[in-house]
Amino acid sequence: MRLAQAGVRWDVVKVRRFLGLQAIEHIEQPGAVAVDPHSPEPMLYFFVPAGTLADWDVPDTRALNSTECTTHVVLPPGHREAPPGPYWLLPPSCGLTPTDTLHRALERALHRPDPHPHFRIDTAAMRADAAQLIGDAAELPESTVLPQLVQRLRGHLMVLVPHVEDRMRAFARTAETRLVAQVTVGEAQRRLNSVPGLTFISEIKHAQTLARSVEALCRHAEVPTHTVAKAPAPTVGVVQQ
């Protein structure tokens, strides 16, 4: 990893992970995006052309450029696409996201009246990727194919985890469905942060654990919530999210 100064070759927009993932849905060809998994909530860093953030005004985001007091950004190694430490969700080879494009995408994500009921995830495609490793007809993937498959599974989990967490708020805190989902989410997060061994077999086993988490979270993502009565909100200890 290395420190690089913002405002020279590029500027950076710092965004909460879930908001950033929603924004990426609205960008046809997003540029490089780095992930900081160590914040209280993981953050995404969108790289945009230098000198274009002087008038940046999108809520719940932060512009990092030459006018900021803190102008340095930690860059992951170019090849790192998984934890531990910062890594690339979309590699530097993707280039820069046009600032106007990112602005529009974030505004669309922020201004959805009720974003999650309209946030459609393709669980069929996610399950198809998982089935390549854990399905009845699963075969050992080639070493040249495995990295791309793992990256897709990791991307699925990064979408599924916050999506399932949000959907489970429709259930009472002590409801079995919510409690089981919390365990599944925690297990998925641990697997996302785990590092496979150096052998090909270790990489396969790691990929299979990711696939199992994808399959399990897809089931939770498909649980109907429209008929569930929400528990009364507590009067103390409420954390706004």
Side-chain angles (χ1 to χ4, degrees):
M1 292 183 291
R2 64 184 180 90
L3 282 176
Q5 185 175 357
V8 178
R9 299 177 58 187
W10 35 256
D11 289 345
V12 170
V13 177
K14 182 178 179 181
V15 183
R16 292 180 291 109
R17 178 183 65 181
F18 188 52
L19 174 59
L21 291 173
Q22 287 184 297
I24 289 174
E25 288 187 318
H26 302 299
I27 303 175
E28 184 175 348
Q29 292 184 320
V33 179
V35 182
D36 177 8
H38 295 315
S39 303
E41 179 177 2
M43 308 297 293
L44 300 189
Y45 291 78
F46 288 83
F47 290 77
V48 301
T52 61
L53 296 180
D55 299 320
W56 187 259
D57 59 354
V58 179
D60 294 332
T61 70
R62 181 182 176 188
L64 302 177
N65 53 26
S66 57
T67 64
E68 281 280 321
C69 294
T70 302
T71 61
H72 288 81
V73 177
V74 176
L75 297 182
H79 62 277
R80 179 171 292 172
E81 298 180 347
Y87 61 94
W88 295 102
L89 178 64
L90 295 171
S93 60
C94 291
L96 303 176
T97 301
T99 304
D100 289 345
T101 300
L102 178 60
H103 191 286
R104 288 193 298 270
L106 287 167
E107 288 287 355
R108 288 184 65 184
L110 281 167
H111 293 157
R112 290 176 177 174
D114 190 5
H116 301 300
H118 304 286
F119 179 45
R120 299 290 181 244
I121 59 175
D122 191 350
T123 54
M126 294 177 175
R127 281 187 155 129
D129 281 339
Q132 294 184 51
L133 290 158
I134 59 174
D136 293 337
E139 297 180 356
L140 193 67
E142 296 180 4
S143 59
T144 56
V145 174
L146 185 61
Q148 289 79 14
L149 180 56
V150 167
Q151 191 64 20
R152 290 202 302 275
L153 292 170
R154 291 182 56 80
H156 297 335
L157 289 177
M158 290 184 69
V159 171
L160 283 165
V161 164
H163 183 67
V164 169
E165 286 177 328
D166 187 74
R167 287 176 63 82
M168 289 303 110
R169 294 189 181 99
F171 294 85
R173 292 178 181 272
T174 57
E176 182 179 359
T177 299
R178 181 167 177 170
L179 294 175
V180 173
Q182 288 173 340
V183 172
T184 306
V185 164
E187 186 174 50
Q189 290 172 325
R190 287 192 296 273
R191 288 171 173 175
L192 270 172
N193 292 322
S194 66
V195 180
L198 299 178
T199 66
F200 181 60
I201 294 300
S202 296
E203 293 177 350
I204 288 289
K205 290 181 178 179
H206 173 68
Q208 288 173 331
T209 64
L210 296 178
R212 292 188 186 98
S213 284
V214 167
E215 174 62 32
L217 287 175
C218 281
R219 290 197 297 271
H220 289 296
E222 294 165 351
V223 172
T225 60
H226 61 279
T227 58
V228 180
K230 290 188 177 182
T235 57
V236 296
V238 177
V239 178
Q240 298 297 330
Q241 301 198 9

